[in-house]
Amino acid sequence: MMKKLILPFALFLFMQNGMAQTPKWVEKAKRAVFSVVTYDKEDKMLNTGNGFFVSEDGLALSDYTLFKGAKRAVIVTSDGKEMPVNTILGANDMYDVVKFRVGITEKKVVALVVAATAPVGGADAWMLPYSTQKSIACVPGKVKDVSKVGGEYHYYTLGMPMKDKMVSCPVVNAEGQVFGIAQKSSGADTVSTCYAAGADFAMAQKINALSLGDVALRSIGIKKGLPDTEEQALVYLFMASSQMTGDEYLKLLEDFITHYPNSTEGYLRRANYFVTTQDESTFDKAVADWNQALKVAKKKDDVYYNIAKLMYAYQLSKPEKTYKDWTYDTALKNIHDAKVLDPLPVYIQLEGDILFAKQDYAGALACYEQVNASNLASPATYFNAAKTKEVLKADPKEILVLMDSCIARCPQPITADFAPYLLERAQANTNADQPRNAMLDYDAYFTAVNGNVNDLFYYYREQAALKARQYQRALDDIAKAIEMNPTDLTYQAEQAVINLRIGRYEEAVNVLNGVIKTEPKYAEAYRLLGLCQIQMKKTDEACASFAKAQELGDPNVAELIKKYCK
């Protein structure tokens, strides 16, 4: 009878010893582990796997592979509660980790504490699998090796078995603190050896200002979180504005406002979004954002400036019907309110722009001159002043002085970004009767843009060369313009003018005959042909050409007929 009791009693002792070796914290810690289900863009199930909470407010870790290509994801806790994955907060495809936040449906969840220090080789370790059962079974083992990742983080080789269903389960130390995330092994020995990426490395993953270009993050369709600091978040917003769809960008703005409710930037950028949609149904929302920005602003002048700038841009878009009081006058009122609080040059610059748009050119010039006397003076501000004087029909030499100041403030040597100012000064030099200087500007422009010019460039440079009496350059440039655009008869007529100027009458006649053959009603070509014929002592033919030009409506031929024809 005693012999029959030995086996059950031994089994009872074994079970008691096994239970004694299971740490007390396991039962609670396993509640931090959950199942993850991801779905593709068609809302079909994509992958299933594991993850675990590392904060009571829903911060969690899992493997990147599980989320790759996912449009949405949910987690299922050990007690069967389903919660959505709200935001991705960082990812690394090389080490297969992802950090995210779950929209928890209760005040707080059970979470593991991330170990502050890495365990050493030989330390005890436990892997906690996901389970909906009350069993507190876990997988014990040892840390076999610890290596470094990214200089200060860790990667572990573990002496314990692991099944595929345990990928991304937490690996914890003797105190119940998580130090690793179980990874799928590509090695042959999965019975006694497995691997884990450091929880410290996974926690270090974050969204930063450059994350929009991160391939790993872009392959996850779930909404991304914001960078940790307001400064980085603002840069992220700026970059996202040109890379996201309108709806995505609006959601990002709303996230920013939620995280930074006392920052005016969120309200101003959202107002800008509402205005630029050109949908009047959102304009009231823009006004609400302006009002909220004024309410929280420490520098209200900046808010007034941004309101003025948006209204100015709105009016520049030439709306068919102006929305409420969104006029240039209202924009001026806001910029004046900003100037009362702090008369910054940038505010005066915008005031000048608004006045220019209102065709108050004298007022605009006065503003631009104030800006040019300040530390905000730049190539653009001098250019604005020059163009305003041009509209006011000022002396060309005054305009040229301003363009000289514009060029003087450009980085030297002038790059392609600033090269258009050279074209403007070339024209100013031409208008001020300084064609040789105009040619120098055209040459500098050619260098700045690495020779990437069109036929118009060669035409304008030819005009300057002709006025400067550099006839060969003029001929070369007009020939280049014709080569690039052989159908523009203006260029061919200009080529005839140069030949006429230097006494090459036959060449000019040949060109003009070609023009007339292409376009028999080209009045100017007949007038120029008549001038060539006068120089060649062919007065009768010349008068016939002049008569044809007059017939076709040339306004400049009457004096020639009076002079040469009886």
Side-chain angles (χ1 to χ4, degrees):
M1 186 68 179
M2 289 294 292
K3 290 182 180 181
K4 292 181 180 180
L5 292 175
I6 290 176
L7 185 59
F9 184 70
L11 181 61
F12 173 78
L13 288 176
F14 175 80
M15 291 175 63
Q16 288 294 318
N17 289 337
M19 290 290 287
Q21 292 177 1
T22 301
K24 295 180 180 180
W25 43 256
V26 168
E27 184 174 4
K28 181 180 179 181
K30 285 186 65 176
R31 291 165 56 198
V33 185
F34 51 71
S35 173
V36 182
V37 184
T38 60
Y39 298 86
D40 63 17
K41 61 183 179 181
E42 296 176 352
D43 213 33
K44 294 180 180 178
M45 186 182 295
L46 183 65
N47 290 306
T48 60
N50 306 297
F52 53 93
F53 289 115
V54 287
S55 74
E56 293 180 336
D57 62 353
L59 188 63
L61 304 176
S62 185
D63 64 293
Y64 164 76
T65 301
L66 183 59
F67 285 80
K68 186 176 181 180
K71 189 67 177 178
R72 73 177 183 96
V74 297
I75 67 104
V76 182
T77 64
S78 60
D79 55 1
K81 293 180 180 177
E82 185 175 297
M83 304 176 192
V85 174
N86 281 351
T87 51
I88 302 297
L89 301 175
N92 183 281
D93 53 351
M94 180 177 292
Y95 289 96
D96 203 24
V97 293
V98 64
K99 184 171 73 172
F100 55 95
R101 187 168 296 281
V102 173
I104 61 175
T105 56
E106 46 203 54
K107 289 186 178 180
K108 59 182 182 179
V109 293
V110 175
L112 298 173
V113 175
V114 178
T117 57
V120 297
D124 291 330
W126 288 263
M127 188 183 301
L128 305 181
Y130 168 74
S131 175
T132 58
Q133 306 300 315
K134 292 184 178 180
S135 168
I136 58 173
C138 57
V139 181
K142 298 283 187 180
V143 176
K144 294 175 67 174
D145 184 61
V146 183
S147 56
K148 286 291 185 75
V149 172
E152 56 182 310
Y153 305 111
H154 303 88
Y155 193 86
Y156 303 95
T157 302
L158 306 170
M160 64 174 67
M162 189 187 82
K163 297 179 180 179
D164 284 343
K165 291 186 177 181
M166 293 182 181
V167 172
S168 292
C169 286
V171 184
V172 299
N173 60 20
E175 287 74 39
Q177 299 171 338
V178 59
F179 66 84
I181 306 173
Q183 297 208 302
K184 187 173 183 178
S185 175
S186 58
D189 184 12
T190 57
V191 176
S192 61
T193 302
C194 62
Y195 304 90
D200 55 352
F201 178 72
M203 290 294 288
Q205 303 309 306
K206 61 179 62 178
I207 304 293
N208 59 44
L210 302 178
S211 291
L212 284 167
D214 188 300
V215 175
L217 286 169
R218 289 175 64 180
S219 69
I220 301 175
I222 301 170
K223 184 181 71 174
K224 313 305 182 298
L226 287 166
D228 293 338
T229 67
E230 183 177 348
E231 182 181 5
Q232 286 278 304
L234 287 172
V235 177
Y236 187 78
L237 280 180
F238 172 75
M239 299 183 70
S241 64
S242 61
Q243 298 184 40
M244 288 184 171
T245 65
D247 289 343
E248 290 173 336
Y249 182 58
L250 180 58
K251 289 177 182 177
L252 187 64
L253 287 169
E254 289 167 349
D255 283 350
F256 180 88
I257 290 170
T258 299
H259 281 82
Y260 305 104
N262 293 320
S263 171
T264 60
E265 285 293 333
Y267 302 108
L268 292 175
R269 295 190 189 204
R270 188 167 66 179
N272 182 70
Y273 170 82
F274 287 142
V275 174
T276 54
T277 59
Q278 292 295 310
D279 182 354
E280 287 196 4
S281 65
T282 65
F283 288 177
D284 284 339
K285 294 180 181 180
V287 173
D289 275 340
W290 290 339
N291 292 336
Q292 186 62 25
L294 283 169
K295 184 178 179 180
V296 303
K298 294 179 180 178
K299 278 183 60 62
K300 295 188 187 303
D301 54 294
D302 181 62
V303 179
Y304 286 125
Y305 165 70
N306 277 278
I307 294 173
K309 186 166 63 173
L310 274 174
M311 285 192 175
Y312 166 65
Y314 167 76
Q315 275 298 325
L316 281 183
S317 70
K318 299 185 183 302
E320 291 184 8
K321 180 182 177 182
T322 296
Y323 180 75
K324 293 185 177 180
D325 64 342
W326 289 18
T327 62
Y328 285 132
D329 289 332
T330 308
L332 274 177
K333 180 184 179 303
N334 278 282
I335 203 63
H336 288 160
D337 288 342
K339 285 173 59 184
V340 167
L341 295 171
D342 192 355
L344 295 175
V346 68
Y347 301 165
I348 300 170
Q349 171 71 43
L350 180 58
E351 181 183 18
D353 293 341
I354 298 170
L355 289 170
F356 190 96
K358 282 172 59 65
Q359 298 183 4
D360 181 355
Y361 302 120
L365 181 60
C367 289
Y368 294 148
E369 287 176 340
Q370 285 186 65
V371 175
N372 287 337
S374 74
N375 59 4
L376 194 66
S378 68
T381 63
Y382 275 98
F383 173 72
N384 288 341
K387 298 305 286 186
T388 306
K389 279 208 169 189
E390 186 178 306
V391 173
L392 289 168
K393 301 188 183 305
D395 186 329
K397 291 182 179 178
E398 293 180 18
I399 299 169
L400 182 57
V401 168
L402 289 168
M403 286 309 304
D404 285 341
S405 295
C406 168
I407 297 298
R409 281 164 175 77
C410 293
Q412 304 294 328
I414 293 178
T415 61
D417 290 337
F418 293 87
Y421 292 132
L422 287 167
L423 290 181
E424 291 290 340
R425 190 173 69 171
Q427 188 59 54
N429 271 309
T430 299
N431 295 339
D433 199 25
Q434 298 188 34
R436 289 183 179 272
N437 288 337
M439 288 181 60
L440 292 174
D441 280 337
Y442 284 123
D443 291 344
Y445 176 85
F446 186 90
T447 300
V449 298
N450 295 317
N452 294 317
V453 296
N454 59 17
D455 52 297
L456 274 174
F457 168 82
Y458 286 107
Y459 174 68
Y460 288 131
R461 192 169 69 174
E462 172 270 326
Q463 296 273 288
L466 186 60
K467 287 184 178 181
R469 299 183 180 181
Q470 294 194 16
Y471 300 119
Q472 188 56 54
R473 286 204 68 180
L475 283 169
D476 291 343
D477 276 348
I478 202 63
K480 189 66 177 176
I482 292 170
E483 177 188 328
M484 297 181 76
N485 189 356
T487 62
D488 192 324
L489 298 182
T490 302
Y491 298 160
Q492 296 180 43
E494 186 69 15
Q495 188 179 45
V497 169
I498 303 169
N499 280 301
L500 175 60
R501 183 76 62 87
I502 61 177
R504 296 172 57 177
Y505 308 126
E506 290 290 346
E507 288 84 348
V509 167
N510 289 335
V511 171
L512 291 167
N513 283 334
V515 171
I516 291 169
K517 183 178 180 181
T518 302
E519 178 49 72
K521 295 184 179 181
Y522 197 134
E524 184 185 1
Y526 288 101
R527 173 167 52 83
L528 293 173
L529 180 59
L531 287 171
C532 291
Q533 290 163 338
I534 287 292
Q535 297 300 320
M536 298 168 73
K537 310 301 182 184
K538 298 179 180 180
T539 305
D540 290 342
E541 292 180 26
C543 288
S545 296
F546 290 153
K548 186 65 176 177
Q550 188 174 52
E551 178 190 327
L552 293 170
D554 189 331
N556 302 311
V557 77
E559 288 298 320
L560 294 174
I561 293 174
K562 184 177 179 181
K563 181 177 180 179
Y564 294 109
C565 306
K566 296 184 180 182

